[in-house]
Amino acid sequence: MQKQSLSRFVVESLEGPPALVERLGEMGFFPGVVVEMGKRLPFAGPWILHLESTSFALREEEIAALKIRSL
Amino acid sequence: MIKHGPCIALVGAPNCGKTTVFNWLTGSRFKTVNYPGATVEYALGSLQPALGSGLRFMDTPGVYGLNPKSADEEVTYRALFDRDGVVRVDGVVVIIDGTQLQRHLPLVLTVLATGFPVMVVATMADLLAREKLKVDWAVLSRDLGVEVIPFEGLLGGGLTQVIAAAKRLPPRSVVRPPSTQLVDYQQRAGKLVRAAMKDVEDFAGKQRHLTATTRRLDRIFLHPFLGLLLFFLIMSGLFTSIYSLAQPLMDAVDWFFSTAGDTVRSLAPEALWSDFAARGVIASFGAVLVFVPQIFILFLGIGLLEATGYLARAATLIDRPLSALGLTGRSFVPLLSGFSCAVPALMATRNIPSRRDRWITNFILPLMTCSARLPVYALLLSFLFQDRPAWQAGLALTVLYVGAMVVGALTASVLNRFIAKDEASRLLMELPLYRRPRLRVTVRQAMTRTWGYVRRAGPVIFVIAVLLWWGSNFPNYDLPDQGVKLEQSYAGRAGRWLEPLVRPLGVDWRVGVGLISAFAAREVFVSTLALTFHTTNEDEATQTQGLLQAMKGATFADGRPVFTPASVVGLLIFFMIAMQCMSTLAVAVRETGSWVFAWSQLISFNIVAYVLAVVAVQSLRLLGW
């Protein structure tokens, strides 16, 4: 993952373990939504990202399930 | 038993304001109901009398969907769909966050597909008004085919409309769990939101404004260095508040019960009944209640942090360190709660989706220094540092706390090696908007939780304390010499029988009796010592003072003191690690569904505690302490 602060991306698809994909979907991450990437916590910690008016903390392997395209 | 009227379940995502709505509807008066034969518990309350009657409400754990992925979500699912549940759900109010329509509407659609009579309550109406986000609720209601009521949680605006709509819900017929693809709902949600918000100008700008303060605060609280520093400061603040706030309260409770006991005793100094009333009943109540201030303050502190939204950030910050132990940030809040009491903490692990993470967290939970250990630590540290400056005792206490966490971390990493990771081990943490906590509600919640603790553990402790009084006073109640009477009592005999085991710890059978009693509940240790060591010297202000005096003078038959630095350190180590609490054992069995778990926890911790304590005592003795 590139270290960029506050860039906007569109989620194109979700790929990964079915339970993870379903949970991400239920939380609001599905094709077409716009996410803003925040920073990553130190020592390979979780990533902060923003969706609508909520922020989320996702681990590397969780974010990897989001296939995104920059806006 | 609450019986009147149809039962409406409140269903919604975590952080949507569901429990706030529940509290408004029920006036925060509710019962926690147990699902037969399982670990399920949910809150059931009637519509509060000032608002009407004839309706009951059920609060359910937050869910993101109706396909359960954690024990918590399982509760909601079963509450809705199980045939032989405790209560039949007649209708559902889906609570959605009005500022998160796109994300929350799919849940509404999912619930609609089940066949339940549904209505929707959209919270955060005050935020929407402030940002001038004019949502056309009528359009949304029409498109969904159900009533949608906006609600504002600070002052309860919209409450009467919510109740009126709930009363208009049709009777329920057949319901079935949902089966459609989530993606269809997501697309439909998008269309619904666009229709309802077509009059909103500059939605993106308004949303940015809505989140502006939170983002600014997160730059500090989630800052790589500042964030962690603040985390440690906040956590230290939380714990030190215990000593500045709770200790005086605990002393007051101690003084009150001592005085009450002495007063009763003086009414009839020689009578059996006054001895029983004073040293049996009143002292036992004191044993239960002395640590309540501590538990309450921690619940309050944690409750406030949770209400502001900070705890989600704390869990995020601690996720990387916890992952080194094989856990996730989701274990943080239960472990933190364990510092108050392991019983609710064990229940708080229900929202950890990974079974194996939950298991490990439950296993190490009793190592978190719970409130019941404080009276024991306080007594032993007072003894150890009696002629030393107070800060040294404070430092020692900190060492005990940190030491317990280190042991917990070590245990977790060992277990981590042996138990394979499951793929459900995830963080996926939602970070809600920061908000000002509502003090009255949080205080009331802390009181409810504290009371729940007293109700659960209180009777156990009380019964044990009374049994101890009886066991240490009989069969030779009338012997004038307290010491001989104690030796010949049932408790004394049990203590002597155990003496070979406690000798390596550097103490005698009187402490042994204390340790046995502590196996049922730690806090009873102090009152037991008061029984086994306390002379009839009543002129100390509190029981503790009297006990400390007695401990100073306690000797073995050959004149060596029982309480030396070595033996006290041994006791401290033992209490730090040993698992001694019947309530925790019982809840552990219930929560994990396994006697094997609870017993292996009990046995392994106690053996390790014993061995480490013996090693410490013998080593310190060699050094001349």
Short mmCIF file of all heavy atoms in Angstrom, two decimals, chain A residues 6 17 19-20 22-28 30 36 39 41-44 46 48 50-59 62, chain B residues 64-65 67 69 73 99-100 102-103 182 186 207 211 215 222 224 316 319-320 323 327-328 423 426-431 433:
data_model
loop_
_atom_site.label_atom_id
_atom_site.label_comp_id
_atom_site.label_asym_id
_atom_site.label_seq_id
_atom_site.Cartn_x
_atom_site.Cartn_y
_atom_site.Cartn_z
N LEU A 6 -5.04 11.27 2.74
CA LEU A 6 -6.28 11.83 2.24
C LEU A 6 -6.39 11.84 0.72
O LEU A 6 -6.52 12.89 0.11
CB LEU A 6 -6.50 13.25 2.80
CG LEU A 6 -6.83 13.25 4.29
CD1 LEU A 6 -7.37 14.59 4.72
CD2 LEU A 6 -7.85 12.19 4.64
N PRO A 17 -11.46 -13.61 1.43
CA PRO A 17 -12.26 -14.64 2.10
C PRO A 17 -13.72 -14.21 2.16
O PRO A 17 -14.01 -13.05 2.47
CB PRO A 17 -11.65 -14.70 3.51
CG PRO A 17 -10.31 -14.08 3.38
CD PRO A 17 -10.36 -13.12 2.25
N ALA A 19 -16.19 -14.51 4.22
CA ALA A 19 -16.72 -13.89 5.43
C ALA A 19 -16.25 -12.44 5.54
O ALA A 19 -17.01 -11.56 5.94
CB ALA A 19 -16.27 -14.68 6.66
N LEU A 20 -15.00 -12.21 5.16
CA LEU A 20 -14.46 -10.85 5.22
C LEU A 20 -15.18 -9.95 4.22
O LEU A 20 -15.56 -8.82 4.53
CB LEU A 20 -12.96 -10.87 4.92
CG LEU A 20 -12.26 -9.52 4.80
CD1 LEU A 20 -12.36 -8.75 6.12
CD2 LEU A 20 -10.79 -9.69 4.42
N GLU A 22 -18.12 -10.32 2.99
CA GLU A 22 -19.50 -10.06 3.43
C GLU A 22 -19.53 -9.02 4.54
O GLU A 22 -20.36 -8.12 4.54
CB GLU A 22 -20.15 -11.36 3.91
CG GLU A 22 -21.61 -11.17 4.28
CD GLU A 22 -22.28 -12.48 4.67
OE1 GLU A 22 -22.23 -13.43 3.86
OE2 GLU A 22 -22.84 -12.54 5.77
N ARG A 23 -18.61 -9.16 5.48
CA ARG A 23 -18.59 -8.21 6.59
C ARG A 23 -18.26 -6.80 6.11
O ARG A 23 -18.90 -5.84 6.48
CB ARG A 23 -17.58 -8.68 7.65
CG ARG A 23 -17.31 -7.75 8.80
CD ARG A 23 -18.50 -7.05 9.38
NE ARG A 23 -19.64 -7.84 9.70
CZ ARG A 23 -19.95 -8.29 10.91
NH1 ARG A 23 -19.16 -8.06 11.90
NH2 ARG A 23 -21.04 -8.97 11.10
N LEU A 24 -17.29 -6.69 5.21
CA LEU A 24 -16.96 -5.38 4.65
C LEU A 24 -18.19 -4.78 3.95
O LEU A 24 -18.48 -3.60 4.08
CB LEU A 24 -15.78 -5.47 3.68
CG LEU A 24 -14.40 -5.60 4.32
CD1 LEU A 24 -13.36 -5.97 3.27
CD2 LEU A 24 -14.00 -4.29 5.00
N GLY A 25 -18.89 -5.64 3.23
CA GLY A 25 -20.10 -5.19 2.55
C GLY A 25 -21.15 -4.69 3.53
O GLY A 25 -21.75 -3.64 3.34
N GLU A 26 -21.34 -5.44 4.60
CA GLU A 26 -22.33 -5.04 5.60
C GLU A 26 -21.95 -3.73 6.26
O GLU A 26 -22.82 -2.96 6.67
CB GLU A 26 -22.45 -6.12 6.68
CG GLU A 26 -23.17 -7.37 6.23
CD GLU A 26 -23.01 -8.49 7.23
OE1 GLU A 26 -22.19 -8.35 8.17
OE2 GLU A 26 -23.68 -9.51 7.08
N MET A 27 -20.67 -3.48 6.39
CA MET A 27 -20.23 -2.24 7.03
C MET A 27 -20.32 -1.06 6.09
O MET A 27 -20.12 0.07 6.48
CB MET A 27 -18.80 -2.38 7.56
CG MET A 27 -18.72 -3.31 8.74
SD MET A 27 -17.03 -3.57 9.28
CE MET A 27 -16.90 -2.39 10.58
N GLY A 28 -20.56 -1.34 4.82
CA GLY A 28 -20.77 -0.25 3.88
C GLY A 28 -19.75 -0.16 2.76
O GLY A 28 -19.82 0.73 1.93
N PHE A 30 -18.87 -1.32 -0.53
CA PHE A 30 -19.27 -2.12 -1.67
C PHE A 30 -18.99 -1.35 -2.95
O PHE A 30 -18.69 -0.16 -2.93
CB PHE A 30 -20.73 -2.56 -1.56
CG PHE A 30 -21.69 -1.47 -1.18
CD1 PHE A 30 -22.23 -0.62 -2.14
CD2 PHE A 30 -22.08 -1.31 0.14
CE1 PHE A 30 -23.13 0.36 -1.79
CE2 PHE A 30 -22.98 -0.34 0.49
CZ PHE A 30 -23.51 0.51 -0.47
N GLU A 36 -11.92 7.63 1.42
CA GLU A 36 -10.76 8.50 1.52
C GLU A 36 -9.73 7.79 2.37
O GLU A 36 -10.02 7.41 3.51
CB GLU A 36 -11.14 9.80 2.24
CG GLU A 36 -11.70 10.87 1.34
CD GLU A 36 -11.85 12.18 2.09
OE1 GLU A 36 -10.82 12.79 2.44
OE2 GLU A 36 -13.01 12.57 2.35
N LYS A 39 -4.03 7.83 7.15
CA LYS A 39 -2.67 7.34 7.32
C LYS A 39 -2.64 5.95 7.93
O LYS A 39 -3.68 5.41 8.32
CB LYS A 39 -1.93 8.31 8.22
CG LYS A 39 -2.64 8.40 9.55
CD LYS A 39 -2.01 9.40 10.47
CE LYS A 39 -2.88 9.47 11.70
NZ LYS A 39 -3.11 10.65 12.29
N LEU A 41 -1.06 3.58 10.99
CA LEU A 41 -0.46 3.69 12.32
C LEU A 41 0.92 3.04 12.32
O LEU A 41 1.17 2.12 11.54
CB LEU A 41 -1.37 3.06 13.37
CG LEU A 41 -2.63 3.89 13.65
CD1 LEU A 41 -3.50 3.21 14.67
CD2 LEU A 41 -2.25 5.28 14.14
N PRO A 42 1.82 3.49 13.20
CA PRO A 42 3.22 3.03 13.13
C PRO A 42 3.40 1.54 13.40
O PRO A 42 2.49 0.88 13.93
CB PRO A 42 3.92 3.85 14.22
CG PRO A 42 2.84 4.37 15.08
CD PRO A 42 1.62 4.49 14.24
N PHE A 43 4.55 1.05 13.02
CA PHE A 43 4.94 -0.35 13.20
C PHE A 43 3.98 -1.29 12.48
O PHE A 43 3.56 -2.31 13.02
CB PHE A 43 5.01 -0.73 14.69
CG PHE A 43 5.89 0.17 15.49
CD1 PHE A 43 5.34 1.04 16.43
CD2 PHE A 43 7.25 0.19 15.27
CE1 PHE A 43 6.16 1.88 17.17
CE2 PHE A 43 8.07 1.04 16.00
CZ PHE A 43 7.52 1.88 16.96
N ALA A 44 3.65 -0.93 11.26
CA ALA A 44 2.74 -1.74 10.44
C ALA A 44 1.38 -1.93 11.11
O ALA A 44 0.83 -3.02 11.12
CB ALA A 44 3.37 -3.10 10.12
N PRO A 46 -2.77 -0.57 11.89
CA PRO A 46 -3.94 -0.48 11.00
C PRO A 46 -3.95 0.81 10.19
O PRO A 46 -3.33 1.80 10.56
CB PRO A 46 -5.13 -0.48 11.98
CG PRO A 46 -4.59 -0.77 13.32
CD PRO A 46 -3.14 -0.48 13.31
N ILE A 48 -6.16 3.98 8.61
CA ILE A 48 -7.38 4.74 8.88
C ILE A 48 -7.97 5.14 7.54
O ILE A 48 -7.25 5.64 6.67
CB ILE A 48 -7.09 6.03 9.69
CG1 ILE A 48 -6.23 5.72 10.90
CG2 ILE A 48 -8.38 6.71 10.09
CD1 ILE A 48 -6.88 4.84 11.92
N HIS A 50 -11.80 6.70 5.57
CA HIS A 50 -13.07 7.37 5.81
C HIS A 50 -14.07 6.99 4.74
O HIS A 50 -13.75 6.96 3.56
CB HIS A 50 -12.87 8.89 5.80
CG HIS A 50 -11.72 9.33 6.64
ND1 HIS A 50 -11.81 9.48 8.00
CD2 HIS A 50 -10.44 9.62 6.32
CE1 HIS A 50 -10.64 9.86 8.47
NE2 HIS A 50 -9.79 9.96 7.47
N LEU A 51 -15.29 6.69 5.20
CA LEU A 51 -16.37 6.33 4.29
C LEU A 51 -17.60 7.07 4.75
O LEU A 51 -17.99 6.97 5.90
CB LEU A 51 -16.60 4.81 4.35
CG LEU A 51 -17.82 4.27 3.64
CD1 LEU A 51 -17.67 4.45 2.14
CD2 LEU A 51 -17.99 2.79 3.97
N GLU A 52 -18.20 7.83 3.86
CA GLU A 52 -19.31 8.70 4.27
C GLU A 52 -18.85 9.50 5.48
O GLU A 52 -17.78 10.07 5.46
CB GLU A 52 -20.56 7.85 4.61
CG GLU A 52 -21.35 7.54 3.38
CD GLU A 52 -22.80 7.18 3.68
OE1 GLU A 52 -23.29 7.43 4.79
OE2 GLU A 52 -23.43 6.66 2.76
N SER A 53 -19.63 9.53 6.52
CA SER A 53 -19.18 10.33 7.66
C SER A 53 -18.65 9.48 8.80
O SER A 53 -18.73 9.86 9.96
CB SER A 53 -20.31 11.25 8.13
OG SER A 53 -21.49 10.52 8.29
N THR A 54 -18.11 8.32 8.45
CA THR A 54 -17.49 7.51 9.51
C THR A 54 -16.06 7.20 9.14
O THR A 54 -15.72 7.06 7.97
CB THR A 54 -18.22 6.17 9.67
OG1 THR A 54 -19.59 6.38 9.65
CG2 THR A 54 -17.83 5.50 10.99
N SER A 55 -15.24 7.08 10.14
CA SER A 55 -13.87 6.61 9.94
C SER A 55 -13.79 5.16 10.35
O SER A 55 -14.59 4.69 11.17
CB SER A 55 -12.90 7.43 10.80
OG SER A 55 -13.11 8.80 10.61
N PHE A 56 -12.85 4.46 9.76
CA PHE A 56 -12.63 3.05 10.09
C PHE A 56 -11.15 2.80 10.29
O PHE A 56 -10.31 3.50 9.73
CB PHE A 56 -13.10 2.15 8.94
CG PHE A 56 -14.58 2.12 8.76
CD1 PHE A 56 -15.20 3.07 7.96
CD2 PHE A 56 -15.35 1.16 9.39
CE1 PHE A 56 -16.58 3.06 7.79
CE2 PHE A 56 -16.72 1.14 9.22
CZ PHE A 56 -17.33 2.09 8.42
N ALA A 57 -10.85 1.79 11.07
CA ALA A 57 -9.48 1.31 11.20
C ALA A 57 -9.47 -0.11 10.67
O ALA A 57 -10.18 -0.98 11.19
CB ALA A 57 -9.03 1.35 12.65
N LEU A 58 -8.69 -0.34 9.62
CA LEU A 58 -8.64 -1.67 9.01
C LEU A 58 -7.20 -2.16 8.97
O LEU A 58 -6.28 -1.40 8.69
CB LEU A 58 -9.16 -1.61 7.56
CG LEU A 58 -10.61 -1.98 7.30
CD1 LEU A 58 -11.55 -1.12 8.09
CD2 LEU A 58 -10.93 -1.87 5.83
N ARG A 59 -7.01 -3.44 9.24
CA ARG A 59 -5.68 -4.01 9.11
C ARG A 59 -5.32 -4.16 7.64
O ARG A 59 -6.19 -4.17 6.77
CB ARG A 59 -5.64 -5.38 9.77
CG ARG A 59 -5.69 -5.32 11.28
CD ARG A 59 -5.63 -6.71 11.85
NE ARG A 59 -5.24 -6.71 13.24
CZ ARG A 59 -4.97 -7.79 13.95
NH1 ARG A 59 -5.05 -8.98 13.38
NH2 ARG A 59 -4.64 -7.72 15.22
N GLU A 62 -7.18 -6.64 5.69
CA GLU A 62 -8.59 -6.32 5.47
C GLU A 62 -8.73 -5.32 4.33
O GLU A 62 -9.60 -5.44 3.47
CB GLU A 62 -9.20 -5.77 6.77
CG GLU A 62 -9.27 -6.82 7.88
CD GLU A 62 -9.26 -6.23 9.27
OE1 GLU A 62 -9.32 -4.99 9.41
OE2 GLU A 62 -9.18 -7.03 10.23
N TYR B 64 -24.37 -5.81 12.05
CA TYR B 64 -24.21 -5.20 10.73
C TYR B 64 -25.08 -5.90 9.70
O TYR B 64 -25.28 -5.42 8.61
CB TYR B 64 -22.74 -5.24 10.29
CG TYR B 64 -21.87 -4.26 11.02
CD1 TYR B 64 -20.91 -4.67 11.92
CD2 TYR B 64 -22.01 -2.89 10.79
CE1 TYR B 64 -20.10 -3.76 12.58
CE2 TYR B 64 -21.21 -1.97 11.45
CZ TYR B 64 -20.26 -2.41 12.34
OH TYR B 64 -19.48 -1.51 12.99
N GLY B 65 -25.56 -7.07 10.05
CA GLY B 65 -26.39 -7.83 9.12
C GLY B 65 -27.01 -8.97 9.88
O GLY B 65 -26.76 -9.15 11.07
N ASN B 67 -26.60 -12.19 9.29
CA ASN B 67 -25.86 -13.43 9.16
C ASN B 67 -24.77 -13.39 10.23
O ASN B 67 -23.71 -12.81 10.02
CB ASN B 67 -25.25 -13.53 7.75
CG ASN B 67 -24.66 -14.89 7.50
OD1 ASN B 67 -24.75 -15.79 8.33
ND2 ASN B 67 -24.06 -15.06 6.33
N LYS B 69 -21.82 -13.25 12.82
CA LYS B 69 -20.39 -13.56 12.75
C LYS B 69 -19.71 -13.46 14.10
O LYS B 69 -18.50 -13.53 14.19
CB LYS B 69 -19.71 -12.61 11.76
CG LYS B 69 -20.23 -12.77 10.35
CD LYS B 69 -19.57 -11.80 9.40
CE LYS B 69 -20.21 -11.91 8.02
NZ LYS B 69 -21.64 -11.55 8.03
N GLU B 73 -23.76 -11.12 17.71
CA GLU B 73 -24.70 -11.07 16.60
C GLU B 73 -25.62 -12.29 16.63
O GLU B 73 -26.78 -12.23 16.23
CB GLU B 73 -23.94 -11.03 15.27
CG GLU B 73 -23.10 -9.78 15.13
CD GLU B 73 -22.79 -9.45 13.69
OE1 GLU B 73 -22.67 -10.39 12.89
OE2 GLU B 73 -22.68 -8.25 13.38
N THR B 99 -27.11 10.13 9.66
CA THR B 99 -26.00 10.67 8.88
C THR B 99 -25.28 9.57 8.11
O THR B 99 -24.27 9.82 7.46
CB THR B 99 -24.97 11.36 9.81
OG1 THR B 99 -24.42 10.38 10.69
CG2 THR B 99 -25.62 12.46 10.63
N GLN B 100 -25.77 8.36 8.19
CA GLN B 100 -25.13 7.22 7.54
C GLN B 100 -26.13 6.43 6.72
O GLN B 100 -26.11 5.20 6.70
CB GLN B 100 -24.57 6.25 8.60
CG GLN B 100 -23.78 6.87 9.68
CD GLN B 100 -22.35 7.04 9.29
OE1 GLN B 100 -21.91 6.46 8.30
NE2 GLN B 100 -21.64 7.84 10.03
N GLN B 102 -26.69 5.71 3.58
CA GLN B 102 -26.22 4.77 2.56
C GLN B 102 -25.73 3.48 3.20
O GLN B 102 -25.95 2.39 2.69
CB GLN B 102 -25.07 5.43 1.78
CG GLN B 102 -24.36 4.54 0.79
CD GLN B 102 -25.05 4.53 -0.56
OE1 GLN B 102 -25.44 5.58 -1.07
NE2 GLN B 102 -25.21 3.36 -1.13
N ARG B 103 -25.07 3.62 4.33
CA ARG B 103 -24.50 2.42 4.96
C ARG B 103 -25.52 1.64 5.75
O ARG B 103 -25.42 0.43 5.86
CB ARG B 103 -23.37 2.83 5.91
CG ARG B 103 -22.10 3.24 5.18
CD ARG B 103 -21.01 3.59 6.17
NE ARG B 103 -20.87 2.55 7.16
CZ ARG B 103 -20.85 2.73 8.47
NH1 ARG B 103 -20.96 3.93 8.97
NH2 ARG B 103 -20.71 1.73 9.28
N LEU B 182 -26.65 -9.44 -0.49
CA LEU B 182 -26.46 -8.11 0.08
C LEU B 182 -26.33 -7.06 -1.00
O LEU B 182 -26.81 -5.94 -0.88
CB LEU B 182 -25.21 -8.13 0.96
CG LEU B 182 -24.94 -6.90 1.80
CD1 LEU B 182 -26.07 -6.64 2.76
CD2 LEU B 182 -23.65 -7.09 2.58
N GLN B 186 -27.67 -3.14 -1.41
CA GLN B 186 -26.78 -1.99 -1.45
C GLN B 186 -27.15 -1.07 -2.61
O GLN B 186 -27.18 0.15 -2.47
CB GLN B 186 -25.32 -2.45 -1.56
CG GLN B 186 -24.83 -3.08 -0.28
CD GLN B 186 -23.60 -3.95 -0.48
OE1 GLN B 186 -23.19 -4.23 -1.61
NE2 GLN B 186 -23.00 -4.36 0.62
N GLN B 207 -21.13 16.93 4.54
CA GLN B 207 -20.61 15.75 5.22
C GLN B 207 -19.20 16.02 5.75
O GLN B 207 -18.84 15.60 6.84
CB GLN B 207 -20.59 14.57 4.25
CG GLN B 207 -20.81 13.26 4.94
CD GLN B 207 -21.11 12.15 3.97
OE1 GLN B 207 -20.46 12.01 2.95
NE2 GLN B 207 -22.10 11.35 4.31
N THR B 211 -17.91 15.96 9.77
CA THR B 211 -16.83 15.14 10.33
C THR B 211 -15.59 15.95 10.66
O THR B 211 -14.59 15.40 11.11
CB THR B 211 -16.42 14.05 9.32
OG1 THR B 211 -16.01 14.68 8.11
CG2 THR B 211 -17.57 13.11 9.04
N ARG B 215 -12.26 14.63 12.65
CA ARG B 215 -11.01 14.42 11.94
C ARG B 215 -9.87 15.17 12.61
O ARG B 215 -8.75 14.68 12.71
CB ARG B 215 -11.15 14.91 10.50
CG ARG B 215 -12.18 14.13 9.76
CD ARG B 215 -11.58 13.46 8.56
NE ARG B 215 -12.62 13.02 7.67
CZ ARG B 215 -12.51 13.00 6.37
NH1 ARG B 215 -11.39 13.42 5.80
NH2 ARG B 215 -13.49 12.56 5.62
N LEU B 222 -4.97 9.85 17.09
CA LEU B 222 -4.43 8.73 16.32
C LEU B 222 -3.05 9.08 15.75
O LEU B 222 -2.56 8.42 14.85
CB LEU B 222 -5.39 8.35 15.18
CG LEU B 222 -6.65 7.63 15.64
CD1 LEU B 222 -7.58 7.40 14.46
CD2 LEU B 222 -6.33 6.29 16.28
N PRO B 224 0.85 9.12 15.36
CA PRO B 224 1.79 8.03 15.63
C PRO B 224 2.42 8.09 17.02
O PRO B 224 2.49 7.08 17.71
CB PRO B 224 2.87 8.18 14.56
CG PRO B 224 2.27 9.01 13.51
CD PRO B 224 1.07 9.72 14.04
N THR B 316 -7.83 0.73 18.47
CA THR B 316 -7.05 0.81 17.23
C THR B 316 -5.56 0.99 17.52
O THR B 316 -4.72 0.34 16.91
CB THR B 316 -7.54 2.00 16.38
OG1 THR B 316 -8.93 1.85 16.14
CG2 THR B 316 -6.80 2.07 15.06
N ASP B 319 -3.98 -2.18 18.72
CA ASP B 319 -4.15 -3.36 17.88
C ASP B 319 -2.81 -3.99 17.49
O ASP B 319 -2.65 -5.21 17.55
CB ASP B 319 -4.94 -3.00 16.61
CG ASP B 319 -5.17 -4.20 15.72
OD1 ASP B 319 -5.82 -5.16 16.20
OD2 ASP B 319 -4.71 -4.21 14.57
N ARG B 320 -1.85 -3.18 17.10
CA ARG B 320 -0.58 -3.74 16.66
C ARG B 320 0.14 -4.45 17.81
O ARG B 320 0.58 -5.60 17.65
CB ARG B 320 0.29 -2.63 16.06
CG ARG B 320 1.59 -3.12 15.48
CD ARG B 320 1.35 -3.98 14.25
NE ARG B 320 2.59 -4.63 13.82
CZ ARG B 320 3.03 -5.78 14.27
NH1 ARG B 320 2.32 -6.45 15.15
NH2 ARG B 320 4.17 -6.28 13.84
N SER B 323 -1.58 -7.66 18.42
CA SER B 323 -1.44 -8.68 17.38
C SER B 323 -0.13 -9.45 17.57
O SER B 323 -0.02 -10.59 17.13
CB SER B 323 -1.51 -8.06 15.98
OG SER B 323 -0.37 -7.29 15.73
N LEU B 327 -3.67 -11.50 19.36
CA LEU B 327 -5.03 -10.99 19.54
C LEU B 327 -5.25 -9.76 18.66
O LEU B 327 -4.38 -9.39 17.89
CB LEU B 327 -5.23 -10.60 21.01
CG LEU B 327 -5.12 -11.74 22.02
CD1 LEU B 327 -5.15 -11.18 23.43
CD2 LEU B 327 -6.25 -12.73 21.82
N THR B 328 -6.42 -9.14 18.77
CA THR B 328 -6.68 -7.90 18.03
C THR B 328 -7.11 -6.82 19.00
O THR B 328 -7.34 -7.08 20.18
CB THR B 328 -7.82 -8.08 16.99
OG1 THR B 328 -9.04 -8.16 17.69
CG2 THR B 328 -7.61 -9.30 16.13
N GLU B 423 -9.57 -17.57 10.67
CA GLU B 423 -9.57 -16.46 9.75
C GLU B 423 -10.51 -15.35 10.19
O GLU B 423 -10.54 -14.29 9.60
CB GLU B 423 -9.89 -16.96 8.33
CG GLU B 423 -11.33 -17.26 8.05
CD GLU B 423 -11.97 -16.24 7.12
OE1 GLU B 423 -11.29 -15.78 6.19
OE2 GLU B 423 -13.13 -15.91 7.33
N ARG B 426 -10.05 -10.47 13.23
CA ARG B 426 -10.03 -9.22 12.47
C ARG B 426 -10.17 -8.02 13.37
O ARG B 426 -10.65 -8.11 14.48
CB ARG B 426 -11.21 -9.22 11.50
CG ARG B 426 -11.14 -10.26 10.43
CD ARG B 426 -12.12 -9.92 9.35
NE ARG B 426 -13.44 -10.47 9.60
CZ ARG B 426 -13.81 -11.68 9.26
NH1 ARG B 426 -12.96 -12.48 8.67
NH2 ARG B 426 -15.03 -12.10 9.52
N LEU B 427 -9.81 -6.88 12.83
CA LEU B 427 -10.01 -5.64 13.55
C LEU B 427 -11.29 -4.98 13.06
O LEU B 427 -12.29 -4.93 13.75
CB LEU B 427 -8.81 -4.70 13.38
CG LEU B 427 -8.96 -3.34 14.07
CD1 LEU B 427 -9.06 -3.52 15.57
CD2 LEU B 427 -7.79 -2.43 13.72
N LEU B 428 -11.31 -4.52 11.82
CA LEU B 428 -12.51 -3.93 11.21
C LEU B 428 -13.24 -3.02 12.19
O LEU B 428 -14.41 -3.20 12.48
CB LEU B 428 -13.48 -5.03 10.75
CG LEU B 428 -13.10 -5.78 9.48
CD1 LEU B 428 -14.14 -6.84 9.19
CD2 LEU B 428 -12.98 -4.85 8.30
N MET B 429 -12.50 -2.04 12.70
CA MET B 429 -13.06 -1.20 13.75
C MET B 429 -13.70 0.06 13.19
O MET B 429 -13.08 0.79 12.43
CB MET B 429 -11.92 -0.83 14.71
CG MET B 429 -12.29 0.03 15.86
SD MET B 429 -13.20 -0.74 17.18
CE MET B 429 -12.36 -2.09 17.66
N GLU B 430 -14.95 0.27 13.58
CA GLU B 430 -15.63 1.50 13.19
C GLU B 430 -15.27 2.57 14.21
O GLU B 430 -15.30 2.33 15.41
CB GLU B 430 -17.14 1.26 13.19
CG GLU B 430 -17.94 2.44 12.70
CD GLU B 430 -19.43 2.13 12.68
OE1 GLU B 430 -19.79 0.97 12.39
OE2 GLU B 430 -20.21 3.05 12.96
N LEU B 431 -14.89 3.75 13.74
CA LEU B 431 -14.53 4.85 14.63
C LEU B 431 -15.63 5.89 14.58
O LEU B 431 -15.69 6.69 13.65
CB LEU B 431 -13.20 5.48 14.19
CG LEU B 431 -12.01 4.53 14.07
CD1 LEU B 431 -10.82 5.24 13.43
CD2 LEU B 431 -11.61 3.98 15.42
N LEU B 433 -18.17 9.18 15.33
CA LEU B 433 -17.90 10.60 15.56
C LEU B 433 -17.70 10.83 17.05
O LEU B 433 -18.38 10.23 17.87
CB LEU B 433 -19.09 11.45 15.08
CG LEU B 433 -19.34 11.55 13.58
CD1 LEU B 433 -20.61 12.33 13.32
CD2 LEU B 433 -18.17 12.22 12.89
#
